[in-house]
Amino acid sequence: MEPVIKGAIPVLPAADTTESLKWWTEVCGFKETFRDRTPPTYAGIQRGEAYLHIAGMDDKTLARQIGDQTMVRIAVKGIEALYAEYQARGGKVHPNGSLQTKPWAPKNSARLTPTASA
């Protein structure tokens, strides 16, 4: 039997795992699925069929550097509703991140994490 890859789970760096988890759950609407302890240094979140892990890093400067360069593309059905929900929850959209049609996606947007630069 040939192996079948069923998905990938990005692991996102965090300077502050608690704050990152709070942003993903309260602003982005994800649900926490697990944490290693309280306060967490490693946690999992999920919304629909998207799964992400958040990993705390001891070197806060490095975590922010890596985080500012990390991108995750999440496929969404109903992007307009999610875009409005995100903004209603206080989410910030990148200055070039309004809903747009691109060659690689029917419609997409760019959002900022609490630690990312505009």
Side-chain angles (χ1 to χ4, degrees), residues 23-24 27-28 68 86 90-95 109-118:
W23 183 79
W24 279 100
V27 177
C28 298
D68 283 349
Y86 174 79
K92 296 177 185 164
V93 176
H94 188 278
S109 74
R111 302 172 185 185
L112 296 178
T113 65
T115 59
S117 309

Side-chain angles (χ1 to χ4, degrees), residues 39-51:
T41 58
Y42 195 85
I45 55 174
Q46 179 256 333
R47 181 165 179 176
E49 296 178 21
Y51 296 86

Side-chain angles (χ1 to χ4, degrees), residues 17-92:
T17 310
T18 300
E19 282 303 309
S20 185
L21 188 58
K22 182 179 175 184
W23 183 79
W24 279 100
T25 56
E26 293 180 9
V27 177
C28 298
F30 277 69
K31 303 287 183 235
E32 182 179 331
T33 57
F34 73 87
R35 64 172 58 197
D36 61 348
R37 62 183 187 208
T38 300
T41 58
Y42 195 85
I45 55 174
Q46 179 256 333
R47 181 165 179 176
E49 296 178 21
Y51 296 86
L52 302 170
H53 287 185
I54 301 165
M57 295 177 64
D58 292 332
D59 186 329
K60 307 307 180 198
T61 302
L62 181 60
R64 286 187 177 89
Q65 252 182 335
I66 294 169
D68 283 349
Q69 298 174 45
T70 301
M71 292 181 264
V72 176
R73 181 171 298 279
I74 299 173
V76 177
K77 182 177 181 179
I79 187 73
E80 293 87 355
L82 184 65
Y83 187 78
E85 174 191 302
Y86 174 79
Q87 290 181 304
R89 291 178 181 213
K92 296 177 185 164

